[in-house]
Amino acid sequence: MNMMMTPSELQAAATVNDPRWAAVQARDGRFDGQFFYSVKTTGVYCRPSCGARLARPENVAFYENTAEAERAGFRPCKRCKPDQPPRAERQADMIAELCRFIESAEQVPSLDELAQRAGMSHWHLHRMFKEVTGLTPRAYATAHRASRVREALGRSDTVTDAIYDAGYNANSRFYEESDHVLGMTPSAFKAGGADTDIRFAIGQCSLGAILVARSGRGVCAIELGDDPDQLARALQDRFPQARLIGDDPEFDRIVAQVVGLVEAPGHGLDLPLDVRGTAFQQRVWQALRAVPVGETVSYSEIAERIGAPNSHRAVAQACGANTLAIAIPCHRVVRSDGALSGYRWGVERKRALLDREHEAVA
Ligand SMILES: [Zn+2]
């Protein structure tokens, strides 16, 4: 019967009967890299996901690799670039390059500059950058500077040196941003908790590992986590100049009290707190402590309550900067639509705390 078919009909039948044809028809990216196909009429070869118009089956042939397709006389398609790494990989490489560019730039590059460098539109760049890094280019630049400032404050003789080292070219701008990047004023941060004794202990509670630390002024950290060592390291990083003292039997009673607060939130914590933060953060935290067990509020409600109705974003940041879990109940702040939003110690812990509190008052 084959004798009755023209060569082009034969080729069409071969293509249609090949399981790879279905992948081409579906433009199925899962097959990218597994095979390539050529199109006789255009002289190019493509990867299965290519977005070009679907070729007629009589013009199609399949290959295991690009070398085979090129030996058969085909050029790589300009659209799907089958001879280059897959798109996701190329994007990640390009974004990584932009990140390095941002890191080494004296000033935060404008979106214009970045888009030009990447050879794409603002909108496209912004979206792709966020997709790959989770941050906008601007937030990435700010975060990077923040970490440079933290580093430099440990090294430089003065706060001003540190600011210049980190590439902030005007003091005022840095002080404007310092609430966000350091969680306290630069000089307080620079002090690094010098000349203070901080007693701490790490216990276990139903939410995982719990670290409780206390300065002469009161409880200065309650942190939750999975890994006790990491909690201890974070405390050391936060108070690099302080003398950290563990193994104090006296202190175990305080830890027990805090764990009691986690397990039975209705009871409250009758311990002095050493609250370290900017004036704005302290106002937010004060307002949080007034939210009763079993209730939730939104970021904008807290902003209203502290008399700064437009500052819901700064309120959210202050919640994220809270280092006294549960004692300052930032877990009681949710989005206006009731969604949980983030939690410094993981959203699962936030959910568990809220469930527990609802039950406690029910
Ligand atoms: Zn193509």
Side-chain angles (χ1 to χ4, degrees), residues 17 41 141 178 296:
N17 290 327
T41 41
S178 67
T296 56

Side-chain angles (χ1 to χ4, degrees), residues 45-47 50 52 77 79-80:
Y45 68 94
C46 289
R47 55 174 94 243
C50 183
C77 163
R79 180 159 178 171
C80 64

Side-chain angles (χ1 to χ4, degrees), residues 241-308:
Q241 309 293 325
R243 237 184 334 271
L244 297 187
I245 305 163
D247 282 337
D248 181 342
E250 204 43 40
F251 193 69
D252 286 345
R253 280 215 314 272
I254 293 179
V255 177
Q257 252 179 290
V258 174
V259 171
L261 176 73
V262 175
E263 309 305 338
H267 291 289
L269 183 67
D270 191 19
L271 285 171
L273 300 181
D274 174 359
V275 178
R276 294 165 191 241
T278 63
F280 181 84
Q281 287 170 336
Q282 302 221 21
R283 269 155 69 207
V284 172
W285 297 339
Q286 204 62 46
L288 292 178
R289 297 192 74 193
V291 180
V293 174
E295 282 180 27
T296 56
V297 288
S298 69
Y299 295 104
S300 352
E301 278 170 302
I302 292 289
E304 295 276 351
R305 288 182 197 179
I306 62 167

